[in-house]
Amino acid sequence: MPGWLTRIGERSQRVDTLASGFAAHRPAYLVLDQRRAPERCAALVGQPGWHDYLTLFAGTPLAPLLEASPWLIELRMGSQAWQAATALCQEQRIGWAFQPAQDARLDGLSDHLRQLFVLDDPHGGQSLVNVQDPTAWTAMLAAGSATAYAQLIGPLGKVVTPTPLPHWQAWQPAEATGDAEALSLSHELEQALKESPRAWWLSRATDTPLQALPPEWLVRLGRLAEGGISSWRGRQRLLPLIRHADDATWHNAQPILLDTSLTEAQKISELERHS
């Protein structure tokens, strides 16, 4: 199994509700990808329990993308605004929540998050990371070293993320140990970010928690993608092949996947016929 999937279970625990991961008497914070549901997110502003918010790209090199900027929101636990924002995270998986161990300022929390959107990558350049996306954020928390994990959590305290299934994951608070290093994308983290959308799809399609996915399923789904089969409908049709086919079947599938004269639909039909 890819190491980052294993570490989800090591660094977090399942909780049935978002609120169960937090102290009820203190405010909580959400990082929300408002561009994916602009009307519903705009409707949050001013609802009972809404305290304040910041646009996270403001004052950064990403400021030209301000209209697409994720929001950092401060809310009162259990309020109307909290319930609406929680539904957005769970139903559409467009955000995640956290609660610092001590009272914190919105500006200070935003400064920590803003440094995570653009990271040096292992190819000598820089990459944009969609920190607001629970899929990417889960991969970041799970794939990094213990030091990197502590730096990512930083002042956020208790972090709770949605999952592909109805439950949530509450991540362990972490304190930085040793000398802090500049956060960057390692090869492992870059690979985890690439694999994470496939892992989330497999988890949802098979009703299997991320950390319990058999490693060969993710490898096989990756082979389909490399062979040009990436549509939701195509993957769904080939799910029995992903889950149950033996090594010989997959060996025989390689010429079909590598045949550039076949369309995606033709490859799917051939794979179904030979499986």
Side-chain angles (χ1 to χ4, degrees):
M1 177 186 293
W4 70 274
L5 289 175
T6 302
R7 285 194 290 272
I8 292 175
E10 296 172 355
R11 294 177 176 174
S12 66
Q13 61 182 1
R14 170 176 174 162
V15 292
D16 291 331
T17 66
L18 178 55
S20 63
F22 297 142
H25 64 283
R26 298 180 46 245
Y29 300 82
L30 269 75
V31 177
L32 206 58
D33 189 0
Q34 57 82 28
R35 66 187 172 86
R36 290 171 53 193
E39 293 182 359
R40 290 185 66 181
C41 289
L44 293 173
V45 180
Q47 286 191 17
W50 172 279
H51 287 175
D52 202 357
Y53 83 110
L54 291 173
T55 51
L56 286 171
F57 287 173
T60 76
L62 298 172
L65 304 175
L66 198 60
E67 290 187 1
S69 172
W71 291 354
L72 172 60
I73 305 171
E74 182 179 348
L75 301 170
R76 187 176 74 250
M77 290 278 295
S79 65
Q80 181 177 327
W82 169 262
Q83 298 298 335
T86 298
L88 276 171
C89 291
Q90 188 164 36
E91 295 167 8
Q92 297 187 240
R93 296 180 178 86
I94 63 171
W96 48 273
F98 66 94
Q99 187 178 61
Q102 301 175 354
D103 291 342
R105 294 176 59 250
L106 204 60
D107 286 340
L109 297 170
S110 66
D111 287 344
H112 173 73
L113 291 165
R114 283 169 174 157
Q115 67 178 325
L116 305 179
F117 286 101
V118 179
L119 298 178
D120 292 339
D121 62 38
H123 313 291
Q126 291 186 314
S127 294
L128 176 65
V129 182
N130 293 320
V131 175
Q132 70 276 16
D133 182 352
T135 307
W137 182 238
T138 296
M140 290 183 71
L141 292 176
S145 65
T147 300
Y149 174 72
Q151 288 182 263
L152 288 169
I153 294 290
L156 305 182
K158 175 68 73 66
V159 172
V160 180
T161 56
T163 73
L165 304 180
H167 66 266
W168 304 74
Q169 290 294 128
W171 297 79
Q172 300 170 8
E175 295 183 3
T177 57
D179 295 332
E181 303 174 1
L183 284 168
S184 62
L185 289 181
S186 64
H187 285 286
E188 183 179 10
L189 178 50
E190 189 177 55
Q191 183 64 23
L193 289 170
K194 180 180 179 181
E195 292 174 342
S196 58
R198 298 173 190 164
W200 277 59
W201 181 85
L202 275 171
S203 174
R204 190 165 54 248
T206 63
D207 196 29
T208 304
L210 286 168
Q211 58 268 39
L213 286 172
E216 62 269 19
W217 291 5
L218 198 56
V219 170
R220 291 167 180 176
L221 187 56
R223 289 181 182 175
L224 294 182
E226 292 169 359
I229 299 174
S230 56
S231 67
W232 176 89
R233 188 178 300 274
R235 292 185 298 185
Q236 192 68 38
R237 284 175 58 181
L238 294 175
L239 191 56
L241 182 69
I242 294 170
R243 299 181 67 178
H244 304 302
D246 56 24
D247 290 341
T249 300
W250 277 96
H251 177 77
N252 294 333
Q254 290 308 298
I256 299 172
L257 290 170
L258 298 176
D259 190 340
T260 57
S261 68
L262 297 177
T263 66
E264 179 180 6
Q266 289 171 329
K267 289 181 179 182
I268 293 169
S269 295
E270 284 294 303
L271 289 170
E272 286 180 320
R273 188 166 64 88
H274 286 84
S275 62

